[in-house]
Amino acid sequence: AQKVTQAQTEISVVEKEDVTLDCVYETRDTTYYLFWYKQPPSGELVFLIRRNSFDEQNEISGRYSWNFQKSTSSFNFTITASQVVDSAVYFCALSEAMDSNYQLIWGAGTKLIIKP
Amino acid sequence: EPEVTQTPSHQVTQMGQEVILRCVPISNHLYFYWYRQILGQKVEFLVSFYNNEISEKSEIFDDQFSVERPDGSNFTLKIRSTKLEDSAMYFCASSEAWQGDYEQYFGPGTRLTVT
């Protein structure tokens, strides 16, 4: 079974639109961490955010915001007023202590295309 | 800002050859990781390493793979006899500690092409 599911394979929007990338996770651990990474066309992995399982407070960083809801096991990522430079593949990842020694378990990624 | 470096950026090799991918983790970090990403697919965990030994490995990390910290700065991934399906981007990462609230810092990756 998938531990991290990013159901949206590809999203295409026009610049300045808001866009939300979905992430649903599965874990038996009570202590775990959730991450978002950006992978631009150049290929590197850029860390965006880390959230631990005890902190359900939503976070906003500029045009980026994250909505963590344990009740639905979701950690969604919203880009407000999207820009062409936001075009990338975005990965959600889970890190859990039980059975995995905090390795990162990755979702399949969502390719985001921002059209000018 | 300290960063993880990887060399080479691109390696082309023939099937059956051995390759060594090199990483220099951030100097005060103690935990090291290798991940791979087959083109167009998700990132997959290969192995974690601490205190000069493997602490965790995935089922991908079979006998043809090995890791080593040959000196105080390098962390290497060796593939003994490469196969076509080993073609992927290989990412090295390091962290100060292994708990999840310590960020894993990623290198820029090595693109391995097996022909």
Side-chain angles (χ1 to χ4, degrees):
Chain A
Q2 292 283 342
K3 286 206 165 187
V4 180
T5 301
Q6 294 180 256
Q8 304 148 307
T9 306
E10 183 173 306
I11 300 174
S12 181
V13 300
V14 177
E15 200 173 20
K16 296 183 184 164
E17 285 185 23
D18 299 348
V19 58
T20 295
L21 310 182
D22 298 334
C23 174
V24 174
Y25 63 92
E26 179 187 328
T27 180
R28 294 173 296 152
D29 243 342
T30 53
T31 301
Y32 55 89
Y33 298 82
L34 296 162
F35 302 77
W36 277 94
Y37 282 85
K38 173 182 179 180
Q39 187 174 43
S42 49
E44 72 272 25
L45 291 167
V46 180
F47 168 80
L48 295 178
I49 190 171
R50 173 182 60 250
R51 175 62 86 222
N52 75 56
S53 53
F54 300 109
D55 182 3
E56 282 194 77
Q57 193 169 15
N58 292 329
E59 180 154 340
I60 298 174
S61 176
R63 297 184 296 107
Y64 295 170
S65 62
W66 290 269
N67 182 357
F68 177 29
Q69 295 202 343
K70 287 176 78 169
S71 60
T72 56
S73 298
S74 65
F75 186 45
N76 296 338
F77 171 34
T78 297
I79 302 175
T80 304
S82 59
Q83 299 176 2
V84 172
V85 293
D86 296 327
S87 296
V89 180
Y90 290 85
F91 291 97
C92 179
L94 166 72
S95 172
E96 51 187 8
M98 188 168 64
D99 298 330
S100 70
N101 210 23
Y102 286 110
Q103 65 179 262
L104 287 172
I105 304 163
W106 299 75
T110 296
K111 184 175 182 179
L112 178 63
I113 300 168
I114 310 295
K115 293 184 276 193
Chain B
E1 187 176 325
E3 58 183 20
V4 177
T5 60
Q6 289 185 244
T7 54
S9 57
H10 190 190
Q11 172 95 44
V12 181
T13 190
Q14 289 190 324
M15 197 166 54
Q17 295 295 305
E18 174 183 288
V19 294
I20 297 176
L21 310 183
R22 291 183 167 79
C23 169
V24 178
I26 295 172
S27 60
N28 65 329
H29 286 187
L30 302 176
Y31 292 81
F32 315 115
Y33 311 83
W34 282 101
Y35 293 83
R36 83 168 183 192
Q37 184 184 30
I38 294 170
L39 187 63
Q41 297 187 23
K42 68 179 178 181
V43 181
E44 301 172 291
F45 169 77
L46 291 178
V47 66
S48 58
F49 189 87
Y50 169 70
N51 202 25
N52 279 323
E53 60 182 27
I54 291 172
S55 49
E56 184 90 18
K57 61 182 181 179
S58 72
E59 55 193 32
I60 301 169
F61 195 86
D62 61 23
D63 290 345
Q64 70 160 341
F65 290 93
S66 62
V67 288
E68 195 178 32
R69 188 148 163 84
D71 52 43
S73 59
N74 288 284
F75 178 51
T76 62
L77 174 69
K78 182 194 290 188
I79 309 175
R80 285 193 188 81
S81 179
T82 50
K83 304 173 195 164
L84 293 176
E85 53 264 37
D86 293 327
S87 295
M89 180 77 93
Y90 289 81
F91 291 101
C92 173
S94 69
S95 63
E96 277 184 73
W98 65 276
Q99 289 87 350
D101 54 354
Y102 286 87
E103 179 190 337
Q104 291 182 26
Y105 290 79
F106 282 81
T110 292
R111 182 168 297 285
L112 177 65
T113 302
V114 182
T115 60

